[in-house]
Amino acid sequence: NYILQRPEYTRENQAVCHLKLIYSDDDRIAAMYWLPEDCATVYGEPAAPYRLAADALFAFDTATLRPEADRALADLLAKVRAHGDTGEVRVDGFTDRLGSAAYNRELSQARADAVKNYLVRGGIAASRIRAAGLGSSQPLAHCADSLPRGELIACLQPDRRVEVTVSSAAR
C-alpha cells in the first residue's frame, strides 16, 4: 500500500492518492487499485512490456542478431518512438534455465545490449536506455527436467525472451 501526494498537494488542499499493489507468485504486479480512481490518470498506469521471443532475434545460445530479426526490431523501434523522446526505455534479457546462472546472466545481458544497440542505431538516445541481463530469474515455462534435451529446449522457448518497457517521463 502506498500513499502519494498529488501534484496539486498544498497544506490547504491535502490531495493524496492511495495505491494498492497485489503481487503474483512470480513477483510481478497482478492487480493495482487506486483511490480515488482518477489517480490512475494523474500518475499513469505502468507500461506493459513489449515481449520479443529471443529465438526470433537470435540463434540458440548466441547474442548475435539474426538478419530476419530486423522486422521485429523495426516494429519495436516504431513502438518506442511512438512514446516520444522522454522517459526511460528498459531492455531486459532473459534466458531459459539451461546452463549455469553466471553464463545465463552474461548471455541475457549480451542479448539486452544487442537490442539496446539496435534502438540507439534507430535514433533512441542511449542515455534513455537501461539494459539488464536477468538470466533465468523470471521463467514463464514449466517444463519437466525429465524431458529429452530437444523437447526440453523447445518447452523452455518462452523463457528465452527480451522485454522492452517504455516508461513515461517523470512528473
Side-chain angles (χ1 to χ4, degrees):
N1 291 312
Y2 300 91
I3 297 175
L4 303 150
Q5 293 179 351
R6 291 176 67 123
E8 65 269 20
Y9 184 93
T10 64
R11 291 183 100 162
E12 297 78 32
N13 176 18
Q14 295 188 5
V16 296
C17 292
H18 298 266
L19 170 63
K20 181 175 186 172
L21 300 176
I22 308 293
Y23 290 90
S24 61
D25 291 338
D26 63 356
D27 294 328
R28 292 179 180 253
I29 297 172
M32 176 184 304
Y33 303 97
W34 288 97
L35 284 176
E37 290 180 5
D38 74 322
C39 288
T41 59
V42 172
Y43 286 98
E45 295 290 334
Y50 300 110
R51 185 174 290 163
L52 303 167
D55 293 358
L57 304 176
F58 311 98
F60 182 75
D61 202 28
T62 73
T64 303
L65 288 169
R66 294 176 176 210
E68 57 269 23
D70 193 56
R71 183 175 183 164
L73 291 171
D75 182 54
L76 171 67
L77 180 60
K79 289 175 181 175
V80 172
R81 284 182 179 155
H83 286 271
D85 293 334
T86 59
E88 180 184 67
V89 179
R90 198 177 78 226
V91 180
D92 294 327
F94 297 92
T95 63
D96 59 31
R97 66 178 185 247
L98 302 176
S100 72
Y103 178 80
N104 285 337
R105 277 191 306 277
E106 285 179 30
L107 178 59
S108 62
Q109 182 67 55
R111 288 177 169 179
D113 288 339
V115 172
K116 173 185 176 177
N117 292 337
Y118 183 95
L119 294 173
V120 169
R121 285 191 307 274
I124 306 299
S127 61
R128 291 182 53 205
I129 305 172
R130 183 174 54 100
L134 302 176
S136 60
S137 66
Q138 297 176 20
L140 300 176
H142 301 285
C143 307
D145 287 329
S146 60
L147 290 172
R149 181 162 173 82
E151 289 179 34
L152 182 59
I153 288 170
C155 182
L156 293 172
Q157 188 281 324
D159 293 346
R160 299 185 297 272
R161 66 196 187 278
V162 175
E163 294 182 355
V164 177
T165 308
V166 183
S167 64
S168 16
R171 293 178 187 246

